[in-house]
Amino acid sequence: MNSRNLPNTLGIIGGGQLGKMMAQAASQLGMKTVVLDPNKNAPAAHICTEFIEAAFDDEVALQRFASSCDRITYELEHLPVPALEEALPRTVFPQGTKALLTTQDRLLEKQLFASLGLPTVRFAAIENEQVLYDTVDKFPLPAVLKTRTGGYDGKGQVRITSKQDVVAAATLLAHGPCLLEEFVAFEREVSCVVARNEFGEKQVYPLFENEHAHHILHKTTFPASTTSKVEETLTTSALELVDALNFIGVLAMEAFVQEDGTVLLNELAPRPHNSGHVTMEMCNVSQFEQHVRACMGWPLREITVYQPGVMVNLLGEHMEGYKQHARQLPDHALHLYGKEDVRQGRKMGHVTFSLQEFITIPSSMYEEIWHVKEEAIQ
Ligand code: AMP
């Protein structure tokens, strides 16, 4: 602790891009950071105050890490909670394990929504093949079978359009118990990012509108173009969720909006979210700064949106096109995460444009960089 007895060292489990941007925000606020990650070349490794190279389930390393930090946070929710709990007596863990345990399991997540009376998709727990066959008989199709744990960016999901698909879908059960969900023909996907601190202060950003390509977030438009009713329902839901989880930090909630304006909650991320990156340039306070403030017991900042903006991810396969066209693109902020291996589907960085600049990008150039058609621009 520093001389004023304020916590000053934030420990971050996970040194990927989210950990890096948390560490940058902490550094701006004069804090020190200790990052723990198995990869010594992780994006956050070169900008933190201290780096511990260790596996996430290395109890000895976690305890050393916890002893060297006033408070700890994480950038990824797939963490072994028992190992983490061993380390907790040595530090303060504001986010708590309840949100981690809930968001690690899609069934618990959906049950939480239902228990709070929040709108979500129709779902059923599928423990084995027999239950899958029995449930599909009475479940509206198309549906999606998802693994309860371990899936992300569309991994661990199989669509069931007709009963013939069930045999192939059943192979997913080899990875553990699953969840069957109705397939939602949504009009748009949105996310809501909320921050809460230990004094009960809460701040919610306007909604983010998200487009995915191959199950990975491609583009976020901010603020989303939805009705005020959608905004209000989702904002209220997010506020209820952080209170129910007694959550401290930033939490993101993803939802589907249907054509008739009804909303259905899909999933939670108990941490800053890819869709919220646009806040770094478009708001007075980024999701990372709010997260660090909340975790360290600081007051939250009231959110002001400077202007509408668009964030587009740069995956491995976009890097060549981006480099070729960077000079011709309108003014944009570039974030490169510093990952060494450029791989297909790997998030290497992102770019943020003001909406005004974004709409001037020629669609042919957009397609050459991102390999998807962008209808909204000329
Ligand atoms: P998830 O891992 O649950 O966030 O799913 C990844 C993406 O798959 C979502 O962002 C949606 O685009 C799509 N998806 C997931 N669940 C459903 C569903 N029940 N209906 C329609 N699309 C879905």
Side-chain angles (χ1 to χ4, degrees):
M1 297 258 180
N2 65 13
S3 55
R4 280 159 58 226
N5 226 23
L6 281 171
N8 192 47
T9 304
L10 176 64
I12 305 170
I13 305 176
Q17 62 268 20
L18 299 179
K20 179 182 180 183
M21 291 184 272
M22 283 181 199
Q24 286 171 325
S27 169
Q28 189 190 325
L29 297 175
M31 296 166 191
K32 295 192 171 95
T33 50
V34 182
V35 169
L36 181 143
D37 194 282
N39 173 9
K40 66 178 191 316
N41 291 316
H46 307 296
I47 62 149
C48 56
T49 319
E50 192 188 331
F51 182 78
I52 297 177
E53 182 186 346
F56 297 132
D57 61 356
D58 180 338
E59 287 188 14
V60 176
L62 272 171
Q63 286 170 29
R64 180 159 63 93
F65 163 75
S67 306
S68 62
C69 308
D70 295 308
R71 293 178 171 215
I72 62 169
T73 182
Y74 52 80
E75 63 141 24
L76 73 174
E77 56 270 34
H78 297 292
L79 291 173
V81 172
L84 195 54
E85 273 172 343
E86 290 293 316
L88 293 188
R90 295 158 200 263
T91 187
V92 178
F93 181 47
Q95 277 151 300
T97 48
K98 188 173 175 193
L100 260 184
L101 289 167
T102 310
T103 56
Q104 283 178 354
D105 185 332
R106 292 178 192 281
L107 178 64
L108 297 184
E109 209 167 56
K110 293 270 155 43
Q111 285 172 337
L112 173 68
F113 299 152
S115 71
L116 294 171
L118 303 177
T120 189
V121 296
R122 186 166 162 180
F123 66 94
I126 307 291
E127 292 85 20
N128 55 48
E129 253 182 67
Q130 190 55 52
V131 177
L132 177 62
Y133 281 100
D134 293 348
T135 310
V136 167
D137 271 342
K138 33 190 202 272
F139 206 83
L141 297 181
V144 195
L145 187 69
K146 299 180 175 181
T147 50
R148 274 177 58 178
T149 58
Y152 65 95
D153 286 342
K155 294 190 181 80
Q157 298 193 16
V158 185
R159 189 134 161 218
I160 301 178
T161 313
S162 72
K163 290 202 179 140
Q164 279 83 52
D165 297 336
V166 179
V167 180
T171 57
L172 205 57
L173 283 158
H175 301 281
C178 290
L179 180 74
L180 189 69
E181 278 181 21
E182 67 172 303
F183 183 82
V184 183
F186 53 80
E187 187 187 51
R188 56 189 88 218
E189 284 191 88
V190 295
S191 49
C192 184
V193 174
V194 55
R196 180 178 182 270
N197 69 8
E198 65 209 52
F199 312 109
E201 290 171 15
K202 284 170 273 198
Q203 285 289 327
V204 191
Y205 289 93
L207 296 181
F208 303 83
E209 187 163 333
N210 303 321
E211 284 170 40
H212 293 79
H214 312 293
H215 295 288
I216 300 175
L217 181 66
H218 166 59
K219 177 184 151 200
T220 296
T221 305
F222 174 74
S225 50
T226 57
T227 60
S228 50
K229 172 112 190 313
V230 167
E231 178 107 29
E232 196 193 312
T233 308
L234 291 176
T235 301
T236 313
S237 303
L239 291 170
E240 272 186 51
L241 280 162
V242 283
D243 280 339
L245 292 166
N246 195 17
F247 186 79
I248 292 164
V250 157
L251 176 137
M253 183 188 83
E254 293 181 46
F256 304 127
V257 183
Q258 300 183 100
E259 217 176 336
D260 64 0
T262 46
V263 297
L264 297 166
L265 304 191
N266 177 32
E267 65 170 2
L268 300 176
R271 50 163 173 80
H273 190 255
N274 194 165
S275 60
H277 293 356
V278 67
T279 58
M280 294 170 90
E281 283 84 23
M282 298 300 137
C283 296
N284 61 330
V285 55
S286 76
Q287 61 166 352
F288 298 103
E289 182 180 337
Q290 288 292 41
H291 181 69
V292 169
R293 284 174 167 269
C295 289
M296 294 302 257
W298 287 30
L300 301 178
R301 286 176 67 190
E302 196 169 319
I303 297 161
T304 303
V305 178
Y306 291 143
Q307 59 180 327
V310 177
M311 186 258 1
V312 193
N313 271 334
L314 288 170
L315 306 183
E317 61 270 34
H318 305 143
M319 293 312 296
E320 272 312 307
Y322 173 75
K323 281 182 211 154
Q324 256 176 44
H325 294 287
R327 281 172 193 279
Q328 291 92 47
L329 282 170
D331 183 54
H332 58 278
L334 171 66
H335 296 258
L336 291 176
Y337 307 144
K339 295 181 185 174
E340 286 184 338
D341 287 346
V342 183
R343 285 199 305 268
Q344 162 117 4
R346 190 173 198 211
K347 291 175 183 169
M348 304 304 296
H350 70 266
V351 283
T352 306
F353 302 85
S354 70
L355 185 61
Q356 230 179 5
E357 300 279 9
F358 181 78
I359 57 174
T360 68
I361 303 173
S363 53
S364 56
M365 190 190 295
Y366 192 90
E367 211 177 322
E368 278 174 41
I369 301 173
W370 283 288
H371 318 309
V372 285
K373 281 206 189 320
E374 176 53 59
E375 316 290 356
I377 49 190
Q378 306 301 308

